[in-house]
Amino acid sequence: MHRLDTSLREQVRVLGEGLGRTMRNALGDDFLRKVEQIRQLSKQLHRGEVEQQELIQALHALKDNELLPMARAFTQFLNLANAAEQHYRARERVVEDYRGGEQPGLKALLARLKDGGHAPADLVQALERQQVELVFTAHPTEVSRRTLIQKYDALDACLAEYEASHQPEMRERVLVRLEELIAQAWHTDEIRNQRPSPVDEAKWGFAVIENSLWQAVPAFYRALDRELETLGAPRLSLDAAPIRFASWMGGDRDGNPRVTARVTQEVLWLSRWMAADLYLRDVDQLRAELSMHQASEELVQYLGGPAREPYRVLLGQLRERLRATLDWLKAQLDGQPYQDERVIFDADGLRAPLLLCYRSLCDQGMQVIAEGMLQDILRRLSAFGMNLLKLDVRQEAPRHAQALSEATQFLGLGDYAQWDEQRRVDFLLHELTNPRPLLPTSWPCSEETQEVLATCRVIAKERADALGAYVISMAGQPSDVLAVALLLKAAGVKRSMRIVPLFETLADLERAPKVIDGLLALDWYRRYSSQHQEVMIGYSDSSKDAGQLGASWAQYRAQEALTQVCAQHQVALTLFHGRGGTMGRGGAPTQAAILAQPPGSVQGRLKVTEQGEMIRFKFGLPALAERALEVYTCAVLEATVAPPPAPLPAWRELMDQLAETGVQSYRALVKDHPDFVRYFRQLTPEQELAKLPLGSRPAKRKAGGGIESLRAIPWIFAWTQVRLMLPAWLGTDEALLKAEEAGQSGLLREMMDGWPFFASNINMLEMVLAKVDLALVEEYEQLLVDEALHPLGRTLRERQQALQAGVLRLREQTQLLEEVPLTRQAIHVRTPYIIPLHHLQAELLARVRACEQQGVCPTAEQQAHLERALMVTIAGIAAGLRNTG
C-alpha cells in the first residue's frame, strides 16, 4: 500500500501544482486562493473536521462569473488524476482490481493449467481455436472530448520521463512540458459544441486502434509466444487470432435516426481506408529494414529473376498496391469512379506477399529478422484484416416487421403485422426458398422501410469480411430472425450472414431458450447458419426492467438454458454480452465476469461490447491494452479448459429466492410508487443530460414517456451524478437482508467463496456502495426536490445504509473495499475534488431550473453561462467516478 501511495500521490502532486500555476496565470491569485480554500474545506469535510455547511457557504459566496471557472478547476484536476492513475496502471500492468490480490497473469495461468494435467499442446490448440470478439460501441458515457484525451495521453509520456529522469536539468525540462500540456487542456473547452456524428464516433474508435492497439496486439502475441515456448509448446500460427475486433459505431441504428445506410457505407470505407493507411506505414518501414540480398528460389521466381534487394522490390510493389487501395477508397468516399487492378480487397492480397518474404527469410537462415517487424505486421493482419474493425449492424425487430407488413400489403397477401407466429414463419420460409424476387426494384413504401432496405443493399454490396453480425434488438420470436434473412435476400445478399437476436428485458431472457429452440428446429435455418448460433444477452435494459439482482440471475439462467438448447441441436453457440462499465449494465472486472459465466457456456467463444469510457480506460494506452488482451485471453482459456463447477442445488434455491424478492422490491418502487418518477426527475440531472452533447443517440427511444422510455445509459448516469447509485443496489438490499434475517448468512458466505457468479455480484455491489455519498444525496434533495417527496428520499437513504451495514456483516469487515486497495485509494484521492462539483451542480441545477420555470434569469447570456457551468460539473463528476454509465 505504501508503494501505491507514494507513486500515485507524487504524480498527482506534480500535476496538481502545474494546474495551480496555470490557473494563477489565467485567473489571478485571488481566484486561486478561493479554489484552495474550497479544496481544503472539502478535504476537511471528507475527514469529518468541518460541517458540510461551511463548504456550502464558501461555494454560495462565489460570484456568478466564478461558477464556471471553479467547476472547470475541479474537473481539470480529476482529469489529471485519471491521467496519473492510468499511467500508474499502465506501468504496473494493473487493468482491474481483484479481491485477495492481483489477478493472475498468463505465465501463472499456463503453469497452473499444465500442473492440473492439461498438456501444453492442448493449450495451444485451445488458443488457436479461441474466438474472442471485442465490439467497440459509442455509448454516451465518454464525456471527454477526443482533443482533450489526446492531451491527457501525451501527459503519460511526460510522466514516464519524469520518473526516469534523475538529473535536475532533465526533470525541470519535463516539468515545463507537463505544464505546457496542462495549460493547453485548461484553455480547451471540456464540452463539445455539438453532438458527435456517428462518423465522428467511428473515427474515435479508429484512433484507439491507431494509437494503442496497433502496438499492443503484436506485443501481446510476442509475450504469448514466449510463455508457450517456456512450457515447451509450439508458438501460435501466424494466422491465429484469439482476439479480434468489431464495432457498432456507424452500424447501430437502434433508435438512432442519425445512423443511415449512407453513414454505414461511409464508415465501412473509412475503416478500410484507415487499415490500408496503417499497413502502408508498416510496409514503408519494413521496406527500409529489409535491405538484405539473399532470397529463396520461390521469391526469385515470383519476382521474375534475381534482384539486388529482392525484399525491397517486393515490398515496393506492395506499397504501390496499398497506395492504389487508398486512392480507390478516397474515390468511393468522394463518389467518383476509379478502376485499378492493383487494389487490395481482402487480407489475402496483403498476406500472401508478406508470407513469401517470411518464408524466404527463414529459408535463408534469417529467422530472427522474419520474427521482427514482419511477424508483427502478419499478426496485425490476422487481428484486424483489411477492414480494421468488422462492422455489426443493429436494428429493432419492429422495423423489420413494418417493412414486411408494407410488402405483403403491396403484394396483396394481407398484413404481415396481423399474422400469428406460425403464419409468419410459414410465409418467411416459403419466400426464403422461392427463387423469384420478393419485391420489384421500385415500389411505394415508407421512408422507414426505404431505410431498412437501403441498409440491406449496403450489406449486399460489401465484402463479407467487412461485416460482422446483424443484431436484432427487441427480438422475441423465431420470425424476427427469419425476417432479417428474407430482407437481406430481397436486397440481393447472396451469402449467409450471422443474424443475432438480442434478448433484453426479463421476459425476453426467460423466453430466449424457447425462441432459439424453435429457430434451430427449422432445417432451412440450421443450414443457413452453418450450425452456429450467436445470441446477444442484454444487461442494461434487463437491469432497468427488473433490478440488478433479478436481471443478473435471469441472464445466468438464460445462458445455461441456451447452452443446453444448442447442445441438443448440435449447434455451436456464441454468447454476445452487451455489457457496460457500471454494475447496472453488467460491468465487472473482465476476468471475474467471464469466470462467472455458467460452466460450458464459453467453449472458447465469447463476444462482448466495450463501451464508451471503458474503451479508453482499458485500451487507451498500449501497455494497458496489452494487459487487457492478456486478461481476456486468460479468462476465456480458463473458462474453456477448467470452468468453475456448477452451483449447488441449495445455492440455486437461495438465488431463486433472492432474485424473486429483489425483482418485487425493485418494481414496487420504480414502477408502482406514485411519487418515484417525480422524485427521480427532480433529484437528478436526467432532464439536463439531454442537453449534454455526449453521443449521437437521443436519450430516449421515443419522445415523451416515463422511465420505460428512457435509455438505460442516462437512467444509470443520472443516479450516478447524485451519488445514490440506485439502479445497482435497489432490490438487492431487501433480498440480502431478508436472507440474513432467515439465518442464511452462512449459506451466502459459502456462495461467495464457491460460486464465481455470486462472488462477482457481491464484489461489484461493494464497489458501488463505496461510491455512494448520502450526505450529498440529501443536499441535492434539500435544494431540488419538493418537500412532499422528502419521505421517499429518507426511505431510500435508510435502505442504502441498511444494505451497506449488511454487506459489511456478510463480508465480516469494518469498511468497504478492505481487500481492493487501489480502488479504495482512487476513490479517496478524488473525493475532495468531486464533493465541490456535486455542491456546485446542485446549486446550478436549482438556478437553471429557476431560469426555465420561473424566468428569473436577467439575460439569455446569463442562462447560457449557468448551463455551461452545469455541463462542466456533469463532465467533472463523470470523470471522477469513471464507470458512470
Side-chain angles (χ1 to χ4, degrees), residues 29 164 220 290 321 407 434 481 487 506 521 567 737 762 771 799:
D29 287 331
F220 165 65
L290 297 190
R321 292 193 66 191
N434 195 328
V481 175
L487 290 169
L506 200 63
L737 294 174
I762 298 298
K771 293 186 176 183
R799 288 179 65 166

Side-chain angles (χ1 to χ4, degrees), residues 720-759:
T720 303
Q721 285 284 309
V722 299
R723 297 295 286 278
L724 187 53
M725 314 291 187
L726 180 134
W729 60 262
L730 185 66
T732 305
D733 60 321
E734 191 171 330
L736 288 178
L737 294 174
K738 277 193 173 183
E740 183 183 24
E741 290 169 3
Q744 295 172 307
S745 295
L747 187 56
L748 290 171
R749 292 191 185 99
E750 185 183 305
M751 291 161 67
M752 284 194 306
D753 292 339
W755 191 10
F757 162 77
F758 189 71

Side-chain angles (χ1 to χ4, degrees), residues 390-410:
K390 284 181 179 287
L391 188 66
D392 281 357
V393 171
R394 181 165 76 135
Q395 182 58 279
E396 55 192 23
R399 291 289 295 274
H400 306 133
Q402 176 188 340
L404 288 170
S405 176
E406 292 179 21
T408 54
Q409 290 181 74
F410 170 74

Side-chain angles (χ1 to χ4, degrees), residues 59-101:
L59 290 166
H60 278 320
L62 293 172
K63 302 170 186 174
D64 279 355
N65 63 358
E66 292 175 327
L67 293 172
L68 177 57
M70 188 62 69
R72 296 192 71 236
F74 286 96
T75 294
Q76 286 285 7
F77 178 84
L78 289 166
N79 283 323
L80 294 175
N82 283 345
E85 184 181 328
Q86 197 151 339
H87 172 77
Y88 169 82
R89 287 175 178 268
R91 190 192 68 201
E92 299 294 324
R93 294 174 57 78
V94 178
V95 178
E96 297 154 334
D97 294 337
Y98 282 80
R99 298 186 61 80

Side-chain angles (χ1 to χ4, degrees), residues 39 183 277 305 315 363 369 399 546 602 626 750 769 817 850 865:
R39 188 176 76 90
D277 184 58
L315 293 171
D363 179 71
I369 298 174
R399 291 289 295 274
V602 177
E626 187 180 342
E750 185 183 305
L769 292 176
L817 301 178
H865 183 82

Side-chain angles (χ1 to χ4, degrees), residues 425 428-430 432-433 469-472 475 477-486 488 495-503 515-536 565-566 569-574:
V425 169
L428 293 166
L429 288 174
H430 177 266
L432 283 164
T433 55
Y470 194 118
V471 180
I472 314 166
Q477 300 293 346
S479 62
D480 291 328
V481 175
L482 299 178
V484 171
L486 180 56
L488 291 172
R495 61 186 184 273
S496 297
M497 185 177 186
R498 277 183 289 153
I499 303 175
V500 182
L502 164 56
F503 300 103
V515 172
I516 298 301
D517 187 44
L519 191 61
L520 297 180
L522 303 172
D523 291 339
W524 179 90
Y525 182 75
R526 280 204 313 280
R527 291 192 300 271
Y528 176 87
S529 63
S530 302
Q531 298 292 109
H532 174 241
Q533 182 60 48
E534 188 174 308
V535 178
M536 186 169 182
V565 165
C566 288
H569 287 279
Q570 297 182 313
V571 167
L573 171 67
T574 296

Side-chain angles (χ1 to χ4, degrees), residues 75 143 191 685 688-689 692 694 717 721 837 841 845 869-879 884:
T75 294
V143 295
I191 309 298
E688 289 78 11
L689 280 173
L692 188 61
L694 292 174
F717 199 118
Q721 285 284 309
L837 285 172
Q841 184 182 89
L845 281 168
L870 175 59
M871 297 302 110
V872 172
T873 66
I874 291 172
I877 292 167
T884 55

